[in-house]
Amino acid sequence: MTELLGASSGYAVSPPFDSVSSGDCFLQATDGTRFKVLRHVLADTSPYFADLLKEMPPSPPSELPTFHLDEDAQTLHALLAFLYPVHLPDLSNVTLFLKIAEIEDKYGIPEPRIAYSFSTAMGILSSTPTRPIERAIDLFSLAWRFGAPRVCQALSRHTHSVDLTNKDIVEKLVHSSKSIESFIALTELRRQRELALDSIVEALEPKKHLCPSHSSSDNMFFTFISMIRTAARNALLAPFPVCHDAFSFLGIQGMDGIRAVTWCSSCYARADRTRLTMQLQEAISRYPQM
């Protein structure tokens, strides 16, 4: 039976961690929720708890000691599920799984258990491959660490908008993956994508479709190319970009006539919109995504 062992938090504690289960101490989460546990189980599975609980004398049932930990109730419950020989937590909850991965070293969670759980979580996510993935960069780092190149490739689609110039992000990526090569791989993908923007621009045939006043000046022409590259770079941040219309996709002119890429109405006025869209779709299909 599930009970509440933290009236203030309202978190439901289920066996074998509720008050009627076997245990000789309590672990209290930051929100006040308490979990009844057996010291020897935790000491045998976690160096952290072995050190915390060492030389603790036995206590009578009415005076069980309480140890205050830094984790919230949901994370602490999941941690205990990893350490105890019981069911694993809900691995479809990516945020919760990553919280466990972040405290793996602190509590000494066996790496094979984390790796198995990661594989299971990725299997759940792969059932709907096109849906957005939260904290993809963190999952990518774990996939790299556990030697799962196909998973790395799939997750890299979802990292295009991550700021790889951010020192904190890079340090976390390298620490979690345990390899600088993970960062190098993502930066190389960025370099390939930047080079491939030329093929996206070429699909629009700018030399053919700029009006005379804008195509006669090299400065004006290259300004337009720069704007298209920027628009393409932003549009292609999506893990699975879909182009139904070339002009709308890049902001040259939306179906409603609104222009994100500001240019005169004479440019592309006589262009075959359908043909250019097909050419752009083909270029996007070849664009490096992972």
Side-chain angles (χ1 to χ4, degrees):
M1 177 181 293
T2 298
E3 65 170 37
L4 299 181
L5 268 182
S8 61
S9 68
Y11 186 85
V13 179
S14 57
F17 309 120
D18 58 351
S19 62
V20 298
S21 295
S22 299
D24 51 16
C25 69
F26 288 98
L27 300 182
Q28 184 166 314
T30 53
D31 57 7
T33 303
R34 297 199 303 164
F35 298 83
K36 194 176 184 182
V37 296
L38 290 164
R39 301 181 204 177
H40 74 272
V41 174
L42 296 181
D44 288 345
T45 57
S46 167
Y48 175 90
F49 286 113
D51 183 66
L52 178 70
L53 303 172
K54 67 182 179 181
E55 301 178 358
M56 284 289 300
S59 305
S62 60
E63 300 177 6
L64 298 185
T66 297
F67 298 91
H68 297 262
L69 300 183
D70 298 330
E71 274 59 58
D72 60 58
Q74 185 183 38
T75 303
L76 181 55
H77 195 176
L79 169 66
L80 293 175
F82 268 90
L83 298 177
Y84 259 64
V86 294
H87 65 281
L88 288 175
D90 178 11
L91 297 175
S92 64
N93 185 334
V94 172
T95 300
L96 177 60
F97 172 78
L98 288 172
K99 282 185 178 181
I100 293 298
E102 288 171 354
I103 61 176
E104 170 196 2
D105 291 339
K106 176 180 178 180
Y107 291 103
I109 302 173
E111 184 170 287
R113 198 153 168 83
I114 288 286
Y116 170 77
S117 302
F118 176 76
S119 177
T120 302
M122 289 300 94
I124 295 172
L125 287 178
S126 66
S127 62
T128 52
T130 60
R131 78 172 183 177
I133 295 180
E134 298 178 13
R135 297 180 62 181
I137 189 69
D138 295 325
L139 293 172
F140 174 88
S141 66
L142 290 174
W144 190 280
R145 171 182 162 191
F146 297 137
R150 291 187 179 180
V151 178
C152 284
Q153 285 187 329
L155 289 171
S156 66
R157 282 182 169 270
H158 300 265
T159 66
H160 300 324
S161 60
V162 174
D163 182 6
L164 294 180
T165 65
N166 184 300
K167 181 180 177 181
D168 293 336
I169 291 176
V170 174
E171 287 182 349
K172 185 177 181 181
L173 167 64
V174 174
H175 174 77
S176 182
S177 66
K178 301 187 184 301
S179 173
I180 188 66
E181 297 297 325
S182 59
F183 170 67
I184 294 174
L186 286 181
T187 53
E188 173 59 19
L189 175 60
R190 295 286 174 91
R191 187 187 70 83
Q192 294 175 5
R193 286 167 60 84
E194 191 65 21
L195 292 175
L197 285 177
D198 288 340
S199 65
I200 301 296
V201 175
E202 290 171 2
L204 291 176
E205 303 174 344
K207 290 184 178 180
K208 290 184 180 180
H209 299 294
L210 289 187
C211 70
S213 61
H214 289 135
S215 59
S216 60
S217 165
D218 288 343
N219 183 57
M220 295 292 285
F221 177 75
F222 286 113
T223 296
F224 178 80
I225 296 300
S226 177
M227 290 185 351
I228 289 296
R229 286 176 65 89
T230 299
R233 187 183 298 113
N234 293 334
L236 292 166
L237 290 177
F240 297 92
V242 178
C243 172
H244 298 296
D245 175 78
F247 288 17
S248 298
F249 185 79
L250 294 179
I252 296 175
Q253 183 177 346
M255 300 300 288
D256 55 2
I258 297 176
R259 295 168 180 262
V261 176
T262 55
W263 214 246
C264 79
S265 57
S266 298
C267 294
Y268 283 90
R270 298 182 180 180
D272 185 335
R273 197 161 177 157
T274 301
R275 184 176 63 82
L276 292 181
T277 296
M278 293 177 62
Q279 290 181 179
L280 182 58
Q281 290 170 339
E282 176 62 24
I284 292 172
S285 71
R286 298 192 304 268
Y287 190 73
Q289 290 288 352
M290 57 184 184

